[in-house]
Amino acid sequence: MSELPSHNRRILIVDDDSSVHHAYTRALSHRRTETDVDAMEDALFGDGTSNAKQASALDNEKFEVDHAYQGQEALAKLEQSIKEGHPYSAAFVDMRMPPGWDGVETIEQLWKMHPSLQVTVCSAYSDYKWNDIVRRLQKADQLLLLRKPFDPIEVWQIALSMSEKWNLSQLHVNQLKTANDQLARELSERKRAEDRARHDAMHDA
């Protein structure tokens, strides 16, 4: 796999309703209107008092959004993203997607392939109990709940926070790998030095 991007904002939307996909696209669009940006500023910073730097930072957060209409399609897209070396950092997954997998099974399959994926569970129905979902999936720290109909600003904020969480987790993994590689090299060098010392001692004897 090629080196991961330092700020991965690749998001996967999994829902069987095309109108919902359009709503996500508008919420995460790169081309927000001035009114949208003002609303986000007020929601994040309060009363329109954000400074120019904060406002500019809002519009600089770009998301790369892909779409799947069934769980099986989502899994295929995830597999392809991993092969490309640019996996999704987060996914928004609907609960009801007949006739294929439901949301829980979809998430299970996605996590088998990409365990660090951050997931937001989306549902308009109360028959999916949050405790039951968490009990089955066993990863409450990688799950959020979003009720439909959703607020576009809420979607944008969740996408940003979940992708940032994924990026931080990958940074931590890479730091651990670097530390482990360095330790392995040091141990290997020490073993070679000890072997040379034993060899020299036997030769001198």
Side-chain angles (χ1 to χ4, degrees):
M1 182 185 295
S2 60
E3 185 179 351
L4 294 172
S6 57
H7 294 288
N8 184 355
R9 300 277 188 267
R10 194 172 190 186
I11 310 294
L12 179 62
I13 308 299
V14 190
D15 198 293
D16 64 335
D17 188 337
S18 60
S19 65
V20 174
H21 284 274
H22 292 317
Y24 277 116
T25 298
R26 288 194 299 271
L28 300 174
S29 172
H30 296 183
R31 297 178 297 280
R32 290 188 291 275
T33 67
E34 184 175 344
T35 301
D36 291 334
V37 174
D38 288 343
M40 289 180 182
E41 291 175 26
D42 290 344
L44 290 176
F45 307 119
D47 301 326
T49 57
S50 60
N51 60 38
K53 178 182 268 188
Q54 290 170 321
S56 177
L58 274 175
D59 206 36
N60 284 336
E61 297 300 342
K62 310 293 187 183
F63 296 100
E64 179 183 348
V65 183
D66 289 333
H67 301 269
Y69 290 82
Q70 291 287 307
Q72 294 90 334
E73 181 187 4
L75 186 64
K77 286 181 176 289
L78 177 62
E79 182 178 16
Q80 182 61 34
S81 75
I82 292 172
K83 288 180 179 178
E84 294 169 354
H86 188 14
Y88 298 105
S89 60
F92 289 81
V93 181
D94 187 27
M95 279 287 100
R96 288 186 174 182
M97 296 182 289
W101 300 336
D102 68 6
V104 174
E105 185 170 1
T106 297
I107 295 167
E108 286 178 328
Q109 296 299 324
L110 295 177
W111 273 345
K112 285 179 183 178
M113 183 172 293
H114 186 31
S116 64
L117 182 70
Q118 303 293 316
V119 176
T120 299
V121 175
C122 308
S123 178
Y125 304 98
S126 60
D127 53 347
Y128 287 90
K129 304 301 183 184
W130 181 246
N131 288 343
D132 294 337
I133 294 172
V134 171
R135 189 178 301 112
R136 179 169 167 183
L137 294 174
Q138 297 292 312
K139 285 188 180 182
D141 61 322
Q142 287 179 224
L143 281 172
L144 286 178
L145 176 63
L146 178 66
R147 289 294 185 190
K148 295 178 181 177
F150 49 72
D151 187 316
I153 296 174
E154 186 177 11
V155 170
W156 187 88
Q157 289 176 304
I158 289 174
L160 181 61
S161 63
M162 295 293 265
S163 58
E164 275 300 291
K165 184 179 177 183
W166 185 90
N167 283 303
L168 288 173
S169 72
Q170 296 307 300
L171 177 61
H172 182 61
V173 167
N174 291 338
Q175 288 173 338
L176 285 176
K177 183 179 184 302
T178 299
N180 287 337
D181 289 346
Q182 182 176 352
L183 178 59
R185 286 193 298 270
E186 291 174 355
L187 292 175
S188 179
E189 291 171 1
R190 180 181 300 178
K191 185 177 184 303
R192 285 196 296 268
E194 291 173 349
D195 289 343
R196 284 195 299 270
R198 282 195 296 270
H199 180 271
D200 292 344
M202 291 175 62
H203 183 73
D204 292 342

